[in-house]
Amino acid sequence: MPELPEVEALAHHLREHAIYRPVARVDIASMSVLKTFDPPVTALAGRVVTGAARYGKFLAVEFADRPADSLHLITHLSRAGWLRWHDQAAATPPRPGRGPLALRVHLDSVGGPGFDLTEAGTQKRLSVYLVADPQEVPGIARLGPDALALTRDEFAALLHGRTERIKNLLTDQTVLAGIGNAYSDEILHTAKLSPYAVAGRLDAERVDALFAATRDVLTDAVERSVGMRAAELKSEKRSGLRVHARAGLPCPVCGDVIREVSFASKSFQYCPGCQTGGRPLADRRLSRLVK
């Protein structure tokens, strides 16, 4: 799933390649991705791209021909969605329901440059909204503060009194926006914290470590990703991960075997040597190993 660094890089890519280009046509290949209907996405025809932004893990393309008449094409890429830039696309409208293409935006001219929103797999969760104000998107309206926008004291205040496991808190977008499963694994490994540690019970030293790890991991990933072509971002993300999706491999820090805890629809990875004093976490939701 694209997280803060990848979405920030996609927004940067659009700012570099799409700004000041007019929309020639919008093709819809999957009506199910559209979560708004007024105005229709076809209303973008003739509008000029004036910006691109990130809201947590939401990506927004901005069209503001007039300050009082702005539109924002906003997408949540979910688990298998992606944005693909094209220098030249087929002029023939796509056939609905064929392949991963969900929506295509032609810029300058039909068949010219632009971008596709695609989704692989059978679980269709890609969401697209066209709104006058990003706060009209329910997921954006519920977002907590951005993970890279907090000071250390604000971060500590956010953790204070919370009873959730720290893994769950880091990935709760209503508490902290932008972090998903992969980078939360990396942050906790860097901070040397158990995923099952209770957020509100962390002492000042561990809060400092977690805050520093959050900034370091995300900032490093953003710096590595921004400026890359959209097609390269997924492999760049994988190459920078030390524990996530590496179960069974040696930890690059201490050499212990990276382990996994699996749930019905997801899993996370951690290093016992670095994070839990060498003890494996029970692979079930009701594990009592909280240290």
Side-chain angles (χ1 to χ4, degrees), residues 4 54-57 143-148 172-173 175-179:
L4 185 156
R54 176 185 62 80
Y55 300 89
K57 294 189 288 184
L143 286 177
D146 193 81
L148 284 178
D172 185 341
Q173 300 304 295
V175 177
L176 192 64
I179 303 172

Side-chain angles (χ1 to χ4, degrees), residues 232-246:
E232 300 172 333
L233 286 172
K234 290 184 180 180
S235 59
E236 170 59 33
K237 178 178 182 177
R238 287 192 294 268
S239 70
L241 299 176
R242 300 193 299 178
V243 292
H244 183 77
R246 290 175 53 87

